[in-house]
Amino acid sequence: MPVADSQCWRSKLLRTADNVAFLPWLRHRASLTARIQARGRFALQVIYQGLARPTADEARALGLAVEEQAWIREVALSCDDQRVVFAHTVLPCRPRGPLTLWLARLGSRSLGALLFAHAGFSRGPMTFKRIDRRHALYSRAVKALQLAEPVPCVLWARRSQFGFDNQSVLVSEVFSPLLLRAPSSQPPSTNWKTSD
């Protein structure tokens, strides 16, 4: 389905000058929470949780009408008191199921810890995007990550859809440049493919 480039999430991530340092984080398929915990003191701050309208591209990805509301959860993940990832989760209101209850009861616990601890979850392909002021998540991420001036013109993000039973949840994660300052954030090698 064709969409405007400013809304398009890509399934392939090419190596560019502004994303090379983020590639190990963007492509990492295991628990992001666990990876941050391995680098320092982890904390999660709930920014928002409740009913709201998803972004236009989220509605498309989940097969929702543009005006339809969903359960939205926004959190900031911190490493050593520095906010490094903004996570934005969208769960359709229908069908109802265990995910609805679990999301309502998460509190300051990580959704990722739940997703990766339960064998019944399946993860779809990851998609990637370089978001800027044109994208609805950009300003929310800048505010949640408490980025100081000068604020980066673009932020790197990834998105995955997780399934459980008859429900599906869409998780977008936006990475702060400060993540790269966390201890051991650079792997020994960044030998990544640079073409489709």
Side-chain angles (χ1 to χ4, degrees), residues 55-118:
T55 66
D57 55 326
E58 289 168 341
R60 277 193 296 273
L62 290 165
L64 301 174
V66 176
E67 69 282 355
E68 194 171 346
Q69 289 196 323
W71 294 105
I72 306 285
R73 175 177 161 93
E74 295 182 337
V75 302
L77 308 181
S78 298
C79 182
D80 293 334
D81 301 319
Q82 180 64 63
R83 294 183 178 190
V84 292
V85 176
F86 168 68
H88 176 86
T89 300
V90 182
L91 175 66
C93 294
R94 292 181 303 277
R96 291 182 63 82
L99 277 177
T100 308
L101 184 60
W102 294 345
L103 194 67
R105 293 182 175 174
L106 267 179
S108 61
R109 290 172 295 156
S110 163
L111 177 63
L114 172 69
L115 294 174
F116 287 96
H118 201 293

Side-chain angles (χ1 to χ4, degrees), residues 137-183:
L137 290 184
Y138 174 84
S139 60
R140 287 144 102 169
V142 167
K143 184 177 180 182
L145 293 170
Q146 300 175 334
L147 295 177
E149 296 289 344
V151 174
C153 294
V154 297
L155 296 168
W156 279 96
R158 69 179 191 176
R159 175 175 285 175
S160 298
Q161 199 161 340
F162 293 86
F164 182 75
D165 196 18
N166 63 342
Q167 290 188 284
S168 183
V169 62
L170 188 65
V171 180
S172 301
E173 295 155 328
V174 183
F175 295 84
S176 167
L178 298 175
L179 177 66
L180 304 178
R181 297 182 193 167

